[in-house]
Amino acid sequence: IWCSTVGGWAAARSAGQFSGKYGVFEDMVLQLRGVAPGIGGFTVGEDGDRPDAWLPVLLGSEGTLAAITSLRLRVHPL
């Protein structure tokens, strides 16, 4: 889909058309960086400053908990 974005996939916890082959998007997220009120910038996932338990909470929150600023993803070769 030409108008979809990686940030949108994370915010909406998308599965996508090829989720049967590659898995759902949340399984591909290794690290998430974001900004939240009262906390400022933070990192969740590999070598993050917050517990990994926050990763599934933030994915799919549609921006209500934090603004996602960057992601580190696992990719699959063609």
Side-chain angles (χ1 to χ4, degrees), residues 7-58:
W9 302 338
R13 191 182 248 175
S14 296
Q17 295 175 331
F18 295 105
S19 62
K21 182 174 182 178
Y22 299 110
V24 292
F25 184 74
E26 63 203 58
D27 294 337
M28 298 177 199
V29 177
L30 300 174
Q31 186 182 70
L32 178 148
R33 291 184 183 174
V35 179
I39 297 174
F42 63 89
T43 305
V44 178
E46 290 183 351
D47 303 322
D49 57 5
R50 301 286 174 190
D52 289 352
W54 279 102
L55 193 56
V57 174
L58 292 166

